[in-house]
Amino acid sequence: MTQAIVLQNISKRYGTTKALDGLELAVEVGELFGLVGVNGAGKTTTLSIIMGFIHASSGSASVLGLDPWTDAPKLHSSIAWLPGDVRLPDAQSGLEWLTYQAGVAKLDHALIPALANEWEVPLNRPMRTLSKGNRQKVALLRLLIAKDAKLLVLDEPTSGLDPVAQERLLLALRERAAAGATVFFSSHSLTEVQTLCDRVAVIDRGQVLKLGTLNALTGDTHTLTVWTQKPVNTSSLEPWKPRLISNTHAILSGDRLLEDALPKLMAFGIERAEFGGMNLEHLLEQNHTREVTR
Ligand code: ATP
């Protein structure tokens, strides 16, 4: 088996809402793969189909060589899962809950103290007294004690985490992938997946809009965001696909931004300018046509 996840022409309807609309993607074994999209793009629905929590309306899904819907119990022994909406029992301490979880799933509970120390999570207090970030960390420890999991599936894993914990998580996921596990996670942010993923699928309205390495997706395209004193006239800026947030706040993308676009913008009196990489919003805006690359 070389592919950990294969989704072919997957559609999912909730009543009249089409959450997924012919979604196609394949994830190689050992890959760190990011699923990126804005709110409502279909990320959680995709992850729920991979986990076998819901059944696709049509199309076919294979996860670790199994059908995630019919083989869910068998599959779950090989998958470590982090839900997007972490729900933990309020009255239990993290230690009680993790020890119970380790017992049910036959995991090594001896790993818990060292991980709690590393992640700086207070495990002896009732979980209702923990901050959102610390509850997220407890849920992450549940994922990390499944150390033999072949596939890690994480829905918005960095949600609520401070930058140090985010960095620690990215490191832990990298280590798992280096040891041969496949990591599949969802995110709102291209920047986040940029630092971690081998490949990324950008989804929009239930379809894969782009799939590839981040470099292949964004190339060396950069963005220039400017705030001006006078209203921006975009007629001389067309090569950089100007997007007006207000008449004195514009975002441009493309090549030679500093060399050629910035001097033209001077005419409007620049108050502030930021130069950076491509973000999700730009990628979505510039790719209305469906294009799948590998
Ligand atoms: P977010 O980033 O906000 O979590 P998402 O990319 O995970 O969004 P999904 O939760 O998969 O998106 O939702 C995709 C679409 O399906 C949305 O239009 C959403 O409103 C709809 N949807 C999701 N779950 C249900 C449900 N149980 N019943 C009805 N509609 C649903």
Side-chain angles (χ1 to χ4, degrees):
M1 184 183 62
T2 57
Q3 291 180 316
I5 300 172
V6 183
L7 302 180
Q8 287 176 311
N9 201 17
I10 295 278
S11 294
K12 176 67 188 173
R13 281 181 176 280
Y14 297 104
T16 54
T17 306
K18 216 172 196 185
L20 298 180
D21 184 14
L23 186 116
E24 300 262 349
L25 60 86
V27 179
E28 309 292 322
V29 168
E31 241 186 332
L32 270 161
F33 194 100
L35 185 68
V36 189
V38 296
N39 289 130
K43 301 181 296 296
T44 300
T45 303
T46 306
L47 267 59
S48 300
I49 287 171
I50 289 170
M51 290 301 298
F53 298 148
I54 59 172
H55 195 200
S57 309
S58 61
S60 83
S62 164
V63 178
L64 301 176
L66 299 170
D67 179 325
W69 180 246
T70 54
D71 298 322
K74 188 170 173 200
L75 197 57
H76 288 175
S77 63
S78 304
I79 301 185
W81 159 243
L82 179 82
D85 58 337
V86 167
R87 289 183 201 159
L88 299 167
D90 278 351
Q92 278 187 351
S93 71
L95 185 61
E96 285 164 347
W97 182 71
L98 287 168
T99 306
Y100 171 77
Q101 290 287 319
V104 171
K106 298 188 176 62
L107 304 173
D108 184 2
H109 61 81
L111 295 170
I112 298 169
L115 278 169
N117 200 26
E118 183 193 343
W119 282 79
E120 299 171 57
V121 201
L123 277 194
N124 291 315
R125 286 168 27 194
M127 285 195 278
R128 68 168 170 276
T129 68
L130 298 185
S131 66
K132 180 178 184 315
N134 276 334
R135 282 202 296 271
Q136 181 77 355
K137 287 183 188 175
V138 173
L140 278 168
L141 295 202
R142 166 65 185 85
L143 176 109
L144 294 172
I145 57 173
K147 67 175 179 14
D148 297 324
K150 293 195 180 83
L151 173 64
L152 283 70
V153 181
L154 306 92
D155 196 358
E156 309 269 351
T158 55
S159 157
L161 296 183
D162 62 44
V164 175
Q166 285 189 20
E167 190 52 41
R168 184 169 287 127
L169 173 66
L170 301 188
L171 200 67
L173 297 181
R174 245 187 239 128
E175 279 172 12
R176 287 301 183 87
T182 307
V183 179
F184 186 86
F185 77 100
S186 69
S187 173
H188 287 120
S189 151
L190 263 188
T191 320
E192 181 172 289
V193 296
Q194 191 163 14
T195 54
L196 181 69
C197 288
D198 300 324
R199 286 193 307 147
V200 176
V202 177
I203 65 167
D204 188 34
R205 283 163 275 182
Q207 297 189 335
V208 173
L209 206 63
K210 283 268 176 180
L211 195 156
T213 62
L214 208 73
N215 259 353
L217 260 53
T218 63
D220 341 322
T221 310
H222 286 88
T223 58
L224 179 65
T225 306
V226 285
W227 289 260
T228 55
Q229 286 153 356
K230 291 187 254 169
V232 176
N233 177 344
T234 57
S235 58
S236 63
L237 301 167
E238 289 309 323
W240 297 282
K241 303 179 184 75
R243 180 174 154 229
L244 287 180
I245 308 298
S246 72
N247 60 4
T248 56
H249 179 187
I251 306 179
L252 284 69
S253 60
D255 297 329
R256 299 190 58 82
L257 285 163
L258 299 181
E259 298 88 336
D260 297 342
L262 195 59
K264 290 185 192 294
L265 287 160
M266 299 278 194
F268 313 112
I270 293 179
E271 284 207 326
R272 198 171 123 213
E274 284 174 8
F275 181 67
M278 190 83 157
N279 63 26
L280 179 59
E281 289 67 33
H282 281 94
L283 199 62
L284 290 175
E285 223 164 70
Q286 293 190 353
N287 293 280
H288 285 304
T289 52
R290 192 158 179 238
E291 184 187 330
V292 181
T293 48
R294 287 224 37 200

